[in-house]
């Protein structure tokens, strides 16, 4: 991490932030956005004793707004191991829409696991897109 985070900031592919409690200054969470093969993703974790208090959701929303407004990101993806309800709860509270399940998309302890994927768009936060957006007229599934 000592090299990865500074290199990501320099080359514009990763922005990583510590989240501190406003009153105590204690580290309560971490959030980051990263670009991977043309897509921007967001990640986060919360210190165990500070979970359930809204720190991650507040940080995710702030970082999403910054990403859309300052970095020109048009879509943020959140991927979490299928079944990770706590992680997905943060994403949903921040406005992410679950789009599906990617089969065998990540490894956990030498085992392939399914991954939930969802996205947050600028419009989900009342922000404009930098490019015109034309949603699909219909869904092939139904």
């Amino acid at each position: 991490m000592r090299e990865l985070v500074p290199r990501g900031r320099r080359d514009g592919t990763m922005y990583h932030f510590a989240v501190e409690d406003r009153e105590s200054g204690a580290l309560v969470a971490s959030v980051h956005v990263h670009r991977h093969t043309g897509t921007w993703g967001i990640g986060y974790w919360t210190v165990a004793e500070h979970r359930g208090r809204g720190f991650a959701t507040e940080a995710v929303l702030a970082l999403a707004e910054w990403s859309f407004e300052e970095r020109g990101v048009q879509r943020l993806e959140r991927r979490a191991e299928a079944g990770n309800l706590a992680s997905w709860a943060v994403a949903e509270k921040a406005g992410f829409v679950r789009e599906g399940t990617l089969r065998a998309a990540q490894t956990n302890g030498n085992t392939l696991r399914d991954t939930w994927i969802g996205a947050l768009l600028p419009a989900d936060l009342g922000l404009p897109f930098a490019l015109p957006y034309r949603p699909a007229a219909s869904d092939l599934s139904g």
Side-chain angles (χ1 to χ4, degrees):
M1 284 296 255
R2 288 181 185 219
E3 294 177 23
L4 181 65
V5 172
R7 183 175 58 239
R9 190 171 288 268
R10 276 193 311 274
D11 66 20
T13 60
M14 177 188 285
Y15 300 92
H16 203 121
F17 300 92
V19 180
E20 297 177 344
D21 182 276
R22 285 185 181 103
E23 294 175 16
S24 69
L27 176 68
V28 296
S30 176
V31 295
H32 72 277
V33 292
H34 57 277
R35 186 173 179 95
H36 178 69
T37 62
T39 302
W40 284 91
I42 194 163
Y44 46 85
W45 55 263
T46 306
V47 175
E49 60 265 24
H50 296 290
R51 291 181 184 150
R53 297 174 48 197
F55 291 117
T57 301
E58 183 179 350
V60 166
L61 279 167
L63 185 54
E65 288 180 16
W66 178 82
S67 298
F68 294 144
E69 293 177 332
E70 301 298 324
R71 304 303 308 164
V73 171
Q74 293 303 298
R75 173 184 166 91
L76 275 177
E77 289 186 354
R78 174 64 183 154
R79 296 178 184 218
E81 186 173 315
N84 187 340
L85 298 175
S87 179
W88 200 255
V90 170
E92 285 182 324
K93 287 175 189 172
F96 281 76
V97 174
R98 191 173 340 164
E99 298 176 329
T101 301
L102 304 174
R103 298 178 304 145
Q106 67 185 50
T107 305
N108 183 342
N110 293 327
T111 303
L112 290 171
R113 303 291 179 108
D114 292 345
T115 301
W116 286 335
I117 184 171
L120 185 70
L121 305 177
D124 297 332
L125 300 181
L127 301 170
F129 285 95
L131 299 171
Y133 170 49
R134 186 175 307 149
S138 66
D139 185 343
L140 294 176
S141 66

